[in-house]
C-alpha cells in the first residue's frame, strides 16, 4: 500500500465566489436578460452557464445611499444590475468628496500639530482619540448580509449637488477594472434599493468567450472608456491625430496573462528555485518567435528573460506603459526580413497587455519616421520615435534584478531598500517611524539581503495593490494624486482581509488604546477594537518618509521600482566599476 | 565617478578652502590687532553648539529640519574644521590652566572619537555583510543561548549512547566556556580569525581520540563553533558601532557645559571690551 496523504484534486470551482449563491438565486438570474436568452449550447463541457452563475457570481443587495465602489478602489469583478437604480459620480470638478465616501482626507499636520507631537505623543503604543471614532454625521455604516457598508446619509442632497449618471437594470459596470486590472474609474452608489450580480473576472472571461453579444458589448465599452485614454497617453502614439488613434483603438488586441489571485500562490512559489518560478509565469511573448505586434504593458508587471545555457537569465522587467517588441519590428522593417524576438516576456503575477499589430505600427509610425535615425538608433541616446531619453537597464547586476523580480519586489512604488554596506544598524529609521506613528514602528528592519541590499519588511505601496481587493469598507485606499496606499483608521473594521491578502506581510492588525492606556472595546461584546496598520509614507507629516529622513548614512531609500534610471543610479552609486548584465545575445 | 565619491571630493575641497580662508582671516585680524582669541572662541563655540545640536535633531525626527544624512555631512566637515579653529584659538600650544586643559582634553576626546567613529561606521558596516547572518543586536544573546543549549543537548545525547566520555570532557574543558559568553572581541574587531582557527584545529586534532560515531558528533560541534564565532563577530562589530557614541555624546555635553563656564569666566574678566 502506498503511504501518502491524498486529497481531492482542487478544481476551478472548488471555492465558489460566494457560498450564498443558491440554486434558487441562479434560477432567478436565468430569467433575466441577457442571461435568459444566452445559447446554452455555447456552454459545453464543464463550464456551464449555470456553473458560472453559481460559482463565479454573487447576488448583493444595496440600500439607498450604499456605496458599491469608489473611484480608485481595486477590484477584479464586474457588476450587473438585476433590479433597482444606481448612480455613477461623473467626477471632474464636482466629484464627491472623499470624506463623504468614508475616505480620510489627506491632510498634512499643521506646523503647530507637528511641534505638538513633542509633548502630545502618548507613552503607550497605538493610542487613539476615542471621540474621533464616534460617528461622522455625513456618513454611516451598516451591516447588510453580514457585510459592512458605507452609505451616504442624504442621497437627494448628493444628487442635487453633484453631477451623476444613472445605471439602470440590465446594465453592466466595472468592466474596465475587471479586465484591465486598473483602479475603478468612478464612484457608484445605489439610489434606490438595488440588487447587483457581481461576477468575478474568470466568470466574465468565460461569458465573453461564449457569448458574442456580451463580448461585443463589454469590448465596446472597454475600448471606448479605458483603452482609448490609455493609448492616447502612450508616448509612441502621442503625436497621432484623432482618426489615427481611433484606428489604433479599433485594431488593438487585449490580453491578460497570469492569475488575478496570484498573491495566494506567490508565497509558496518564492521558496522554490528560479526556474520553477519562471515556469509559473505565463509567457506573453517568446524569445525566437516572430512578433505579431508591439506589446504595451497596461497593468501589472512582466519579466524579460533570455535563454542562457540550460536556464534563463532575467535581464529586466517592464512596468505599465512600457513597450516590448518594437526594436525587432523596426529591424524587420528596415531590413525587410522579419526579426525574431530577442527575449521572452512573462507575466509576474498578473499583467494585462495591449497588442498593436505590426502592420499598423509600420503604417502609422515607421513610414513617416527618419529612416537613417531609425537605423542608427542603437547609438542614439534618445528614442527616435518619442524623442525621450532611453533607459539603460544594463548597469544593474543581473542577480540583483533576478532577486527583485523573483520576490516580486518590483511591484513596489516605494520599496524600502537599505544599503547594508552603509547601514550601521543604529535603528534611527525604526525609532523615527515609531515617533511618527503612534509609538509603534510600521516596519521591521529585517528582510532578505541580496549582495549588500536589504529589502526591508515595509509596505511597498504596490503597483498592483492586492491588499485593496475585498476591503469591505474601502478603508484601504490608494491616494489618487500621490499614490500611497493608506488605511482610514476611522472606517477600518479590523477584519484583517488586507493583512492576509498582502503577500509581503506588510500589514499588521493592532489593538488600539485610549489615552489612559487601556484597550478600546466595543460596546456589545467588550472585545478590543482592532485596526489594520501599515506604512503610510508619513502622508500626514512634513518632508516625506521619516525613515529615509532619519538615516544618517544615506543607506535607506524608498524606491519606485518602475523608475529604472533612479534605481540604477542608487544601486551603482558606491560601485566603482559598472556591472554589466551578461546575456547570451549581447 | 560615483555619487558618494563625488560628494567627498567636493566637500573636502570646500573644507580645505574654508580652513585656508579662516587661517588668512585670523592672520589679518592679528595684524589689525584685533582680539582674535575672542573671535575664534565665539566661532568655535558656535560650531560646537551646531555639532551638538545634531543630537537634538535626531530626537525630533518628525520636525521638518532636513534629513539626518545632510546633517551628518555638515557635521563631519564642520567638525573637522573645528580642529583648525581650535588650533587658532589656543595658538597651536598646549594650554596650561586647569580649566583650559580640561576643556582641550574634552574637545580632543570628542574630536578623536568623532573621527574614529566615522571610520568605524564606514568600515564595520561593510564588514558586517560579509560574515554570518544579519542579526538584530538585541537578539544576539538569544541566539547564543540557543546554540549553547543545542551543543549541550548534542553532548548529553552522545554521553547516553557512547561509553567514552571523550566528547564530554572536551566540552567541559574547552567548549562550555567558549559558548557561555561572547568572546574574542579584539580579534574580531581587528579581523583576526586566529581563535576560531585554533579551536577548530584543536577539535580536528582531537578526532584521533574518537570513534566513528563520536567523530560525527565532533563535526556537528565544529559547525556550532563556527556559527557561534560568526555570532560573536556580529556582536563585536555591532556593539562597536553602537558604543563609540557612548563616548562621543556624553563628552560632548561635558564639553558644551565647560565651554559655557569658560565663556562666562573670560567674559567677566574681559569686561566687555570689544
Ligand atoms: C568636535 C566637536 C564635535 C561635537 C560636539 C560632536 C557632537 C556630536 C553629537 C552630539 C552627535 C549626535 C549623536 C547622536 O545623537 O546619535 C554626533 C554624532 C556623530 N559625529 Fe560628532 N561631534 C563633533 C565632531 C565630530 C567629528 C570631527 C566627526 C568626524 C569627522 C564626527 C562624527 C560624527 C558621527 C559619524 C556621528 C554619528 C552619526 C550616527 O551614526 O548617528 N563628529 N556628534
Amino acid at each position: 500500500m502506498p503511504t501518502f496523504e491524498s486529497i481531492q484534486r482542487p478544481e476551478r470551482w472548488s471555492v465558489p465566489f460566494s457560498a450564498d449563491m443558491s440554486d434558487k438565486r441562479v434560477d432567478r438570474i436565468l430569467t433575466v436578460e441577457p442571461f435568459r436568452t444566452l445559447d446554452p449550447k455555447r456552454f459545453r463541457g464543464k463550464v456551464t452557464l449555470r456553473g458560472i452563475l453559481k460559482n463565479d457570481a454573487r447576488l448583493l443587495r444595496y440600500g439607498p445611499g450604499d456605496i458599491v465602489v469608489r473611484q480608485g478602489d481595486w477590484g477584479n469583478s464586474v457588476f450587473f444590475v438585476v433590479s433597482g437604480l444606481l448612480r455613477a459620480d461623473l467626477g471632474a470638478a464636482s466629484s464627491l468628496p472623499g470624506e463623504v465616501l468614508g475616505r480620510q482626507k489627506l491632510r498634512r499636520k499643521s506646523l503647530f500639530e507637528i511641534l505638538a507631537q513633542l509633548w502630545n505623543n502618548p507613552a503607550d503604543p497605538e493610542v487613539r482619540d476615542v471621540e474621533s471614532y464616534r460617528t461622522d454625521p455625513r456618513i454611516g455604516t451598516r451591516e447588510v448580509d453580514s457585510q459592512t457598508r458605507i452609505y451616504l446619509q442624504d442621497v437627494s442632497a448628493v444628487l442635487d449637488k453633484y453631477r451623476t449618471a444613472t445605471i439602470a437594470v440590465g446594465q453592466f459596470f466595472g468592466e474596465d477594472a475587471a479586465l484591465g486590472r486598473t483602479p475603478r474609474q468612478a464612484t457608484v452608489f445605489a439610489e434606490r434599493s438595488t440588487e447587483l450580480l457581481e461576477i468575478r473576472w474568470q466568470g466574465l472571461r468565460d461569458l465573453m468567450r461564449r457569448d458574442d453579444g456580451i463580448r461585443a458589448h463589454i469590448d465596446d465599452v472597454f475600448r471606448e472608456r479605458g483603452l482609448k485614454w490609455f493609448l492616447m497617453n502612450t508616448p509612441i502614439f502621442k503625436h497621432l491625430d484623432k482618426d489615427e488613434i481611433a484606428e489604433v483603438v479599433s485594431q488593438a488586441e487585449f490580453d491578460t496573462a497570469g492569475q488575478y489571485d496570484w498573491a495566494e500562490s506567490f508565497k509558496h512559489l518564492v521558496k522554490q528555485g528560479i526556474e520553477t518560478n519562471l515556469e509559473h509565469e505565463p509567457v506573453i511573448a517568446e524569445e525566437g518567435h516572430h512578433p505579431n505586434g508591439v506589446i504595451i504593458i497596461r497593468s501589472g508587471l512582466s519579466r524579460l528573460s533570455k535563454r542562457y545555457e540550460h536556464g534563463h537569465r532575467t535581464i529586466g522587467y517592464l512596468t505599465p506603459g512600457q513597450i516590448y517588441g518594437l526594436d525587432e519590428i523596426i529591424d524587420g522593417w528596415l531590413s525587410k526580413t522579419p526579426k525574431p524576438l530577442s527575449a521572452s516576456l512573462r507575466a509576474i503575477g498578473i499583467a494585462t497587455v495591449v497588442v498593436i499589430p505590426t502592420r499598423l505600427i509600420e503604417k502609422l509610425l515607421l513610414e513617416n519616421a527618419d529612416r537613417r535615425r531609425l537605423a542608427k538608433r542603437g547609438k542614439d541616446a534618445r528614442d527616435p520615435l518619442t524623442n525621450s531619453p532611453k533607459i539603460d537597464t544594463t548597469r544593474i547586476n543581473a542577480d540583483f534584478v533576478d532577486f527583485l523580480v523573483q520576490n516580486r519586489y518590483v511591484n513596489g512604488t516605494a520599496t524600502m531598500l537599505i544599503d547594508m554596506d552603509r547601514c550601521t544598524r543604529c535603528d534611527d529609521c525604526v525609532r523615527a517611524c515609531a515617533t511618527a506613528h503612534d509609538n509603534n514602528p510600521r516596519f521591521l528592519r529585517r528582510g532578505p539581503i541580496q549582495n549588500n541590499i536589504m529589502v526591508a519588511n515595509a509596505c511597498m505601496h504596490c503597483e498592483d495593490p492586492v491588499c485593496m481587493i475585498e476591503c469591505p469598507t474601502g478603508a484601504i485606499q490608494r491616494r489618487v494624486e500621490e499614490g500611497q496606499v493608506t488605511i482610514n483608521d476611522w472606517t477600518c473594521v479590523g477584519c484583517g482581509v488586507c493583512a492576509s491578502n498582502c503577500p509581503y506581510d506588510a500589514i499588521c492588525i493592532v489593538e488600539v488604546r485610549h489615552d489612559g492606556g487601556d484597550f478600546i472595546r466595543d460596546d456589545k461584546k467588550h472585545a478590543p477594537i482592532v485596526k489594520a496598520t501599515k506604512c503610510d509614507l508619513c502622508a500626514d507629516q512634513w518632508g516625506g518618509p521619516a525613515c529615509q529622513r532619519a538615516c544618517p548614512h544615506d543607506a535607506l531609500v524608498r524606491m519606485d521600482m518602475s523608475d529604472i534610471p533612479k534605481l540604477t543610479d542608487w544601486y551603482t552609486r558606491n560601485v566603482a566599476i559598472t556591472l554589466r548584465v551578461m546575456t547570451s545575445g549581447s | 565617478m560615483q555619487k558618494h565619491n563625488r560628494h567627498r571630493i567636493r566637500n573636502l575641497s570646500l573644507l580645505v578652502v574654508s580652513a585656508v580662508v579662516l587661517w588668512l582671516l585670523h592672520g589679518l585680524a592679528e595684524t589689525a590687532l584685533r582680539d582674535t582669541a575672542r573671535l575664534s572662541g565665539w566661532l568655535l563655540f558656535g560650531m560646537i553648539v551646531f555639532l551638538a545640536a545634531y543630537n537634538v535633531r535626531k530626537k525630533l525626527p518628525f520636525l521638518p529640519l532636513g534629513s539626518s544624512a545632510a546633517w551628518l555631512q555638515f557635521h563631519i566637515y564642520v567638525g573637522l574644521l573645528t580642529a583648525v579653529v581650535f588650533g587658532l584659538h589656543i595658538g597651536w600650544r598646549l594650554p596650561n590652566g586647569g580649566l583650559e586643559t580640561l576643556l582641550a582634553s574634552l574637545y580632543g576626546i570628542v574630536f578623536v572619537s568623532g573621527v574614529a567613529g566615522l571610520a568605524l561606521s564606514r568600515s564595520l558596516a561593510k564588514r558586517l555583510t560579509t560574515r554570518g547572518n544579519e542579526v538584530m543586536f538585541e537578539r544576539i544573546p538569544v541566539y547564543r543561548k540557543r546554540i549553547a543549549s543545542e551543543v549541550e543537548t548534542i553532548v548529553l545525547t552522545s554521553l547516553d549512547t557512547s561509553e567514552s566520555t571523550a566528547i564530554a570532557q572536551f566540552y567541559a574543558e574547552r567548549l562550555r566556556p567558549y559558548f557561555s559568553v561572547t568572546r574574542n572581541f579584539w580579534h574580531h574587531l581587528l579581523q583576526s580569525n586566529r581563535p576560531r582557527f585554533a579551536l577548530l584545529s584543536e577539535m580536528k586534532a582531537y578526532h584521533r581520540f574518537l570513534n566513528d560515531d563520536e567523530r560525527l558528533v565532533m563535526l556537528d560541534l565544529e559547525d556550532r563553533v563556527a556559527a557561534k564565532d560568526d555570532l560573536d563577530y556580529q556582536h563585536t562589530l555591532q556593539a562597536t558601532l553602537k558604543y563609540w557614541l557612548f563616548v562621543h555624546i556624553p563628552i560632548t555635553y561635558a564639553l558644551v557645559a565647560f565651554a559655557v563656564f569658560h565663556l562666562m569666566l573670560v567674559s567677566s574678566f574681559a569686561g566687555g571690551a570689544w
Side-chain angles (χ1 to χ4, degrees):
Chain A
M1 274 290 279
T3 51
F4 50 75
E5 301 276 341
S6 66
I7 57 158
Q8 200 184 354
R9 182 170 293 282
E11 291 190 356
R12 163 153 173 209
W13 284 333
S14 301
V15 186
F17 193 27
S18 160
D20 297 337
M21 202 61 189
S22 63
D23 285 323
K24 231 170 99 192
R25 287 186 170 178
V26 175
D27 287 338
R28 213 188 115 212
I29 299 298
L30 283 170
T31 62
V32 176
E33 279 300 348
F35 304 100
R36 190 169 66 93
T37 46
L38 292 185
D39 181 3
K41 282 201 234 76
R42 304 283 312 257
F43 294 84
R44 261 192 246 127
K46 281 188 184 164
V47 185
T48 58
L49 176 58
R50 225 192 147 72
I52 293 177
L53 291 175
K54 190 157 169 58
N55 297 288
D56 287 330
R58 60 180 177 185
L59 206 56
L60 300 169
R61 291 184 302 138
Y62 290 84
D66 278 0
I67 292 162
V68 183
V69 292
R70 290 157 216 80
Q71 187 189 20
D73 275 359
W74 217 244
N76 45 33
S77 55
V78 70
F79 295 89
F80 173 80
V81 189
V82 180
S83 70
L85 185 68
L86 299 128
R87 290 275 178 170
D89 178 17
L90 289 178
S94 70
S95 76
L96 280 164
E99 312 91 274
V100 172
L101 306 175
R103 286 218 166 131
Q104 202 175 20
K105 197 169 167 198
L106 178 60
R107 197 181 68 84
R108 284 204 195 288
K109 290 190 159 74
S110 66
L111 186 58
F112 178 73
E113 284 167 315
I114 291 275
L115 285 170
Q117 294 178 108
L118 281 173
W119 56 89
N120 271 353
N121 270 358
D124 292 305
E126 304 296 354
V127 172
R128 304 289 197 276
D129 174 9
V130 187
E131 281 313 307
S132 74
Y133 287 143
R134 308 217 194 276
T135 11
D136 180 323
R138 284 173 303 178
I139 46 172
T141 54
R142 61 181 162 219
E143 296 275 319
V144 182
D145 298 338
S146 72
Q147 284 194 323
T148 311
R149 296 267 157 74
I150 301 257
Y151 66 93
L152 304 172
Q153 300 273 28
D154 189 348
V155 180
S156 56
V158 169
L159 293 182
D160 285 345
K161 193 159 170 205
Y162 302 100
R163 233 158 56 82
T164 56
T166 52
I167 306 177
V169 172
Q171 285 188 309
F172 282 96
F173 66 91
E175 56 290 294
D176 193 35
L179 294 175
R181 189 72 167 200
T182 49
R184 300 276 184 207
Q185 289 184 340
T187 297
V188 176
F189 59 91
E191 184 180 343
R192 298 205 286 268
S193 288
T194 298
E195 273 178 308
L196 293 178
L197 184 71
E198 183 182 8
I199 310 170
R200 62 179 172 187
W201 78 276
Q202 296 91 337
L204 177 66
R205 178 196 58 196
D206 287 334
L207 286 174
M208 286 173 66
R209 272 193 198 147
R210 288 170 176 77
D211 185 76
D212 299 338
I214 292 189
R215 191 186 51 240
H217 168 74
I218 301 265
D219 206 62
D220 281 354
V221 176
F222 174 62
R223 272 175 208 277
E224 196 41 45
R225 286 191 203 154
L227 213 50
K228 189 167 163 191
W229 186 87
F230 173 72
L231 290 171
M232 272 163 56
N233 285 291
T234 299
I236 53 167
F237 299 128
K238 271 216 162 120
H239 64 281
L240 299 187
D241 64 29
K242 238 173 83 189
D243 293 341
E244 288 170 330
I245 282 286
E247 200 175 349
V248 178
V249 171
S250 70
Q251 290 199 31
E253 278 171 41
F254 187 77
D255 197 10
T256 302
Q259 305 156 283
Y260 274 74
D261 44 5
W262 61 266
E264 274 174 43
S265 52
F266 168 65
K267 283 185 190 174
H268 305 291
L269 273 178
V270 194
K271 296 196 186 105
Q272 303 173 17
I274 170 166
E275 294 308 320
T276 8
N277 201 344
L278 216 98
E279 276 164 22
H280 279 85
E281 293 167 3
V283 178
I284 302 171
E286 189 150 4
E287 178 182 355
H289 287 197
H290 290 289
N292 43 15
V294 162
I295 296 177
I296 313 170
I297 312 293
R298 179 150 190 256
S299 67
L301 301 151
S302 44
R303 181 201 299 248
L304 276 176
S305 65
K306 276 184 175 229
R307 272 192 285 277
Y308 184 76
E309 300 297 332
H310 298 295
H312 293 269
R313 184 163 247 161
T314 305
I315 56 165
Y317 55 92
L318 299 185
T319 52
Q322 287 190 299
I323 288 177
Y324 168 80
L326 185 57
D327 264 328
E328 288 83 349
I329 290 180
I330 298 179
D331 284 340
W333 183 74
L334 288 171
S335 63
K336 301 205 169 62
T337 38
K339 289 277 178 298
L341 293 167
S342 63
S344 293
L345 186 71
R346 288 177 159 81
I348 307 173
I350 182 164
T352 60
V353 297
V354 180
V355 186
I356 314 294
T358 308
R359 186 59 214 110
L360 196 61
I361 294 289
E362 291 174 348
K363 179 178 144 198
L364 296 179
L365 301 183
L366 304 186
E367 281 165 15
N368 305 324
D370 178 349
R371 239 191 132 86
R372 279 219 323 272
R373 215 179 143 195
L374 279 183
K376 284 198 291 182
R377 71 191 188 289
K379 295 189 193 86
D380 209 333
R382 288 181 171 269
D383 186 293
L385 294 177
T386 59
N387 219 20
S388 50
K390 279 204 285 204
I391 297 173
D392 178 10
T393 53
T394 58
R395 284 166 55 216
I396 303 191
N397 176 293
D399 291 340
F400 185 59
V401 175
D402 219 12
F403 163 78
L404 293 178
V405 172
Q406 182 83 350
N407 292 289
R408 303 196 181 171
Y409 295 133
V410 288
N411 200 353
T413 65
T415 308
M416 186 189 287
L417 302 179
I418 306 181
D419 179 349
M420 299 311 276
D421 274 356
R422 292 187 72 84
C423 170
T424 60
R425 283 70 168 171
C426 68
D427 276 331
D428 277 1
C429 49
V430 182
R431 271 190 296 274
C433 179
T435 321
H437 297 98
D438 302 308
N439 274 338
N440 201 6
R442 300 287 189 244
F443 77 98
L444 298 170
R445 189 176 57 74
R446 219 188 303 172
I449 300 178
Q450 171 76 19
N451 300 339
N452 55 319
I453 309 295
M454 174 191 277
V455 180
N457 184 213
C459 170
M460 316 193 298
H461 302 265
C462 290
E463 181 66 49
D464 183 17
V466 283
C467 57
M468 277 170 56
I469 302 172
E470 295 174 316
C471 172
T473 61
I476 186 161
Q477 54 175 301
R478 173 132 82 185
R479 307 230 171 246
V480 181
E481 302 89 35
E482 302 94 341
Q484 312 101 324
V485 177
T486 58
I487 298 173
N488 181 356
D489 195 61
W490 193 78
T491 48
C492 171
V493 291
C495 65
V497 171
C498 53
S500 66
N501 273 354
C502 170
Y504 309 99
D505 287 332
I507 304 181
C508 283
I509 305 294
V510 300
E511 293 170 333
V512 292
R513 301 162 192 268
H514 60 76
D515 278 349
D518 289 334
F519 294 125
I520 304 176
R521 293 168 190 277
D522 72 276
D523 49 7
K524 298 204 178 73
K525 292 186 189 146
H526 303 292
I529 301 282
V530 294
K531 299 280 173 184
T533 60
K534 62 185 261 314
C535 159
D536 59 358
L537 287 179
C538 293
D540 61 347
Q541 302 281 344
W542 287 25
C547 50
Q548 183 169 342
R549 279 190 303 131
C551 178
H553 301 283
D554 195 18
L556 185 156
V557 278
R558 302 307 295 255
M559 182 66 70
D560 179 355
M561 304 304 273
S562 65
D563 191 343
I564 291 164
K566 191 173 157 211
L567 174 65
T568 311
D569 280 352
W570 184 80
Y571 183 77
T572 54
R573 68 196 176 144
N574 295 321
V575 186
I577 351 145
T578 308
L579 296 153
R580 292 245 156 225
V581 178
M582 262 174 67
T583 55
S584 55
S586 54
Chain B
M1 201 187 314
Q2 304 309 316
K3 180 184 148 200
H4 286 133
N5 287 344
R6 248 188 349 253
H7 286 184
R8 201 162 293 145
I9 290 179
R10 184 196 64 197
N11 297 348
L12 275 174
S13 320
L14 269 175
L15 175 71
V16 171
V17 171
S18 321
V20 170
V21 169
L22 275 176
W23 206 311
L24 290 177
L25 280 178
H26 188 264
L28 273 178
E30 242 168 15
T31 38
L33 294 176
R34 283 298 181 100
D35 182 355
T36 51
R38 185 179 282 250
L39 285 173
S40 56
W42 273 107
L43 181 60
L44 185 58
F45 183 69
M47 288 164 96
I48 288 177
V49 168
F50 166 73
L51 294 170
Y54 184 31
N55 180 248
V56 182
R57 153 69 184 88
K58 282 201 177 203
K59 294 217 160 71
L60 309 171
F62 42 79
L63 295 190
L65 294 174
S67 73
S68 184
W71 270 80
L72 182 58
Q73 285 305 302
F74 277 110
H75 185 88
I76 290 171
Y77 292 98
V78 172
L80 290 174
L81 196 60
T82 56
V84 177
V85 182
F86 181 74
L88 292 171
H89 185 62
I90 61 169
W92 306 104
R93 277 184 308 268
L94 282 182
N96 39 27
L99 178 64
E100 283 72 18
T101 310
L102 177 69
L103 256 181
S105 318
L106 291 176
Y107 170 79
I109 297 173
V110 175
F111 183 86
V112 172
S113 65
V115 174
L118 178 65
L120 289 170
S121 299
R122 294 285 178 263
S123 60
L124 299 193
K126 269 202 195 80
R127 278 167 53 193
L128 272 174
T129 41
T130 59
R131 206 166 123 194
N133 292 331
E134 178 66 34
V135 281
M136 293 265 182
F137 187 67
E138 295 72 21
R139 305 275 304 161
I140 292 179
V142 179
Y143 295 131
R144 201 193 60 235
K145 284 200 189 102
R146 194 176 295 164
I147 298 181
S149 79
E150 277 171 17
V151 167
E152 201 175 293
T153 318
I154 294 173
V155 174
L156 289 178
T157 330
S158 91
L159 211 54
D160 284 348
T161 52
S162 150
E163 281 129 42
S164 124
T165 55
I167 291 214
Q169 275 182 39
F170 189 84
Y171 170 73
E173 277 169 32
R174 302 288 293 115
L175 297 184
R176 204 192 345 233
Y178 172 76
F179 283 106
S180 60
V181 284
T182 303
R183 297 200 162 261
N184 307 319
F185 181 90
W186 289 104
H187 283 98
H188 286 312
L189 193 61
L190 299 172
Q191 193 76 354
S192 157
N193 273 341
R194 181 141 295 283
R196 174 188 181 130
F197 183 74
L199 183 55
L200 286 175
S201 306
E202 206 179 326
M203 291 171 87
K204 285 265 178 292
Y206 204 73
H207 277 223
R208 64 180 186 276
F209 309 120
L210 308 175
N211 66 22
D212 285 350
D213 288 343
E214 288 170 333
R215 242 171 249 145
L216 284 178
V217 174
M218 203 60 165
L219 285 175
D220 216 0
L221 292 177
E222 285 163 26
D223 285 348
R224 313 289 151 134
V225 165
K228 155 76 167 43
D229 189 61
D230 285 346
L231 210 55
D232 286 353
Y233 182 79
Q234 287 281 330
H235 186 271
T236 301
L237 269 52
Q238 292 203 34
T240 311
L241 280 171
K242 281 193 194 333
Y243 295 143
W244 75 268
L245 277 168
F246 283 75
V247 176
H248 198 61
I249 303 176
I251 306 290
T252 291
Y253 281 113
L255 174 65
V256 173
F258 280 105
V260 171
F261 188 51
H262 167 76
L263 253 168
M264 287 185 333
L265 282 184
V266 291
S267 314
S268 59
F269 281 121
W274 268 100

